[in-house]
Amino acid sequence: MGVSLSGRSFLKLLDFSTEEINYLLDLSAEFKRMKMAGVPHRYLEGKNVALIFEKTSTRTRCAFEVGAYDLGMGVTYLEPSGSQMGHKESVEDTARVLGRMYDGIEYRGFDQDVVQELADKAGVPVWNGLTDDFHPTQMLADILTVKENFNNDIKGKTLVFMGDARNNVANSLMVVCAKLGMNFVACGPQENMPTEDLVATCREIAAQNGSTITLTSDVAEGVKGAHVIYTDIWVSMGEPDELYKQRIPLMEPYRVTSEVMAMAADDAIFMHCLPSFHDTNTKKGAVVAEKFGITEMEVTDEVFESPASKVFAEAENRMHTIKAVMYATLK
């Protein structure tokens, strides 16, 4: 019997089996093939989706909107000031209203409990576009990118996350690697490692799939022979800028440089969920450079612009994978 995700919400990858995640990845690859070949796939005409964004985003919004349009759906975007949810109306009441008007709801914001309550009360599939705990749609795009670069042979490959490993991206990478039999390494300051409970859960899952979870503060040990070097910004959206003063000296040893890439496998790739501070061509980058005297943060411009960098293919894959999630849960 084939995999069916019809009617399910997509909140975190811990809720999905290895078989179900692979199904979504295969579906994503097929949607990408159709998109590249110009093959129409308006399979969900007549359906409508709502996109709730308490945190703004370029890639997540565009991926959901273009994916929905390609599938033939209507889209309503609710920006931070465009909804009364949590202000004049409870999350529960918002869910019950939107669930009567829309066939699916995306939420991008802060608390995992909010997206869970939306899913519990809406009566339609709800998709997590990012919370403080998890970023599951990003993971599908990441793994699709890895598969494309290693001829679909990812089992046993090693992915290293450099920097603040106690964030939503690192948490989700650890989960998806454990589910798919990839070795995961968190390489960063000891105080910025994932929580003990999540590490224990992922180690149990990884053991079932023949892979490992490693935590280390030693860069040479962490990246040696790795196939994927992954990093993220040092101060996340919603965190105060004052944190740069503390984070910069803490995170600088974990900047991804050409020397770091040289310690990895010969065919290693670099990945980043974006946006990235690899130069001073942004307002934030310019301010940090003026204030703290650094022109590159989590990754050097040399690595970001190198042939090993797959960040823009990774960004494009957000669209194909999000399309697969919407289709699989709404069909």
Side-chain angles (χ1 to χ4, degrees), residues 52-54 77-89 94 98:
I52 304 172
F53 278 69
E54 292 187 335
Y77 172 72
L78 297 171
E79 62 184 348
S81 61
S83 167
Q84 295 298 335
M85 189 177 78
H87 303 288
K88 293 182 179 179
E89 187 167 47
T94 300
L98 295 181

Side-chain angles (χ1 to χ4, degrees), residues 40 42 79 90 103 107 114 126 135 139 153 159-160 170-172 190-191 197 212 218 221 224 237 243 246 265 278 328:
R42 298 174 64 84
E79 62 184 348
S90 67
D103 300 283
Y107 171 80
V114 172
V126 172
H135 198 357
M139 296 307 102
D153 180 21
L159 183 150
V160 180
N171 286 346
S172 299
Q190 191 61 44
E191 57 265 49
D197 286 351
T212 60
D218 187 310
E221 176 188 325
K224 184 179 180 181
M237 187 185 304
L243 276 179
Q246 170 195 336
H278 57 97

Side-chain angles (χ1 to χ4, degrees), residues 1-67:
M1 186 174 179
V3 172
S4 175
L5 302 181
S6 181
R8 296 227 351 230
S9 288
F10 189 75
L11 309 184
K12 60 183 186 298
L13 289 176
L14 287 169
D15 299 334
F16 291 81
S17 69
T18 298
E19 183 184 20
E20 289 168 338
I21 295 170
N22 279 320
Y23 164 74
L24 287 170
L25 289 167
D26 290 344
L27 185 58
S28 302
E30 178 60 14
F31 274 130
K32 184 171 185 176
R33 184 197 65 77
M34 287 191 285
K35 180 78 170 179
M36 297 299 101
V39 177
H41 41 279
R42 298 174 64 84
Y43 300 149
L44 298 178
E45 275 194 292
K47 293 186 182 294
N48 295 282
V49 296
L51 311 180
I52 304 172
F53 278 69
E54 292 187 335
K55 284 185 178 181
T56 57
S57 169
T58 300
R59 279 150 299 281
T60 303
R61 176 181 177 179
C62 293
F64 269 102
E65 288 194 347
V66 175

Side-chain angles (χ1 to χ4, degrees), residues 18-310:
T18 298
E19 183 184 20
E20 289 168 338
I21 295 170
N22 279 320
Y23 164 74
L24 287 170
L25 289 167
D26 290 344
L27 185 58
S28 302
E30 178 60 14
F31 274 130
K32 184 171 185 176
R33 184 197 65 77
M34 287 191 285
K35 180 78 170 179
M36 297 299 101
V39 177
H41 41 279
R42 298 174 64 84
Y43 300 149
L44 298 178
E45 275 194 292
K47 293 186 182 294
N48 295 282
V49 296
L51 311 180
I52 304 172
F53 278 69
E54 292 187 335
K55 284 185 178 181
T56 57
S57 169
T58 300
R59 279 150 299 281
T60 303
R61 176 181 177 179
C62 293
F64 269 102
E65 288 194 347
V66 175
Y69 294 145
D70 282 355
L71 290 168
M73 294 193 289
V75 179
T76 300
Y77 172 72
L78 297 171
E79 62 184 348
S81 61
S83 167
Q84 295 298 335
M85 189 177 78
H87 303 288
K88 293 182 179 179
E89 187 167 47
S90 67
V91 174
E92 177 180 353
D93 288 357
T94 300
R96 291 158 72 187
V97 169
L98 295 181
R100 287 170 176 260
M101 298 182 182
Y102 293 94
D103 300 283
I105 301 167
E106 180 271 353
Y107 171 80
R108 179 182 171 94
F110 298 89
D111 199 328
Q112 183 75 17
D113 289 343
V114 172
V115 76
Q116 183 65 61
E117 187 170 7
L118 283 171
D120 290 343
K121 305 298 182 181
V124 298
V126 172
W127 312 298
N128 180 1
L130 174 144
T131 64
D132 290 344
D133 291 342
F134 296 107
H135 198 357
T137 59
Q138 178 69 51
M139 296 307 102
L140 294 179
D142 293 343
I143 297 302
L144 180 61
T145 307
V146 176
K147 286 169 70 74
E148 290 172 341
N149 280 275
F150 292 99
N151 297 313
N152 288 320
D153 180 21
I154 64 170
K155 196 168 176 64
K157 294 289 190 292
T158 297
L159 183 150
V160 180
F161 183 89
M162 300 282 288
D164 180 8
R166 188 175 285 200
N167 71 7
N168 49 15
V169 171
N171 286 346
S172 299
L173 284 168
M174 183 166 60
V175 172
V176 77
C177 285
K179 291 275 186 177
L180 298 179
M182 292 180 66
N183 302 313
F184 175 80
V185 179
C187 185
Q190 191 61 44
E191 57 265 49
N192 290 85
M193 289 296 172
T195 64
E196 291 182 6
D197 286 351
L198 185 58
V199 170
T201 298
C202 288
R203 279 183 168 151
E204 185 176 333
I205 296 169
Q208 296 167 7
N209 292 305
S211 59
T212 60
I213 305 293
T214 303
L215 312 181
T216 181
S217 297
D218 187 310
V219 172
E221 176 188 325
V223 304
K224 184 179 180 181
H227 302 92
V228 181
I229 305 296
Y230 197 121
T231 193
D232 195 2
I233 55 177
W234 290 344
V235 176
S236 298
M237 187 185 304
E239 292 184 318
D241 284 355
E242 290 72 29
L243 276 179
Y244 279 111
K245 184 176 182 180
Q246 170 195 336
R247 291 278 176 85
I248 287 172
L250 188 66
M251 295 296 167
E252 274 192 302
Y254 303 98
R255 178 180 292 124
V256 180
T257 63
S258 56
E259 290 76 19
V260 168
M261 294 301 295
M263 289 186 277
D266 292 342
D267 57 351
I269 61 174
F270 169 75
M271 297 178 66
H272 192 306
C273 54
L274 302 182
S276 169
F277 295 117
H278 57 97
D279 55 28
T280 58
N281 296 333
T282 63
K283 289 181 180 178
K284 182 62 64 70
V287 167
V288 171
E290 182 178 352
K291 210 168 183 182
F292 300 102
I294 62 168
T295 57
E296 302 163 311
M297 282 190 265
E298 70 277 4
V299 59
T300 63
D301 193 58
E302 180 182 20
V303 170
F304 188 88
E305 298 292 353
S306 73
S309 177
K310 307 302 176 185

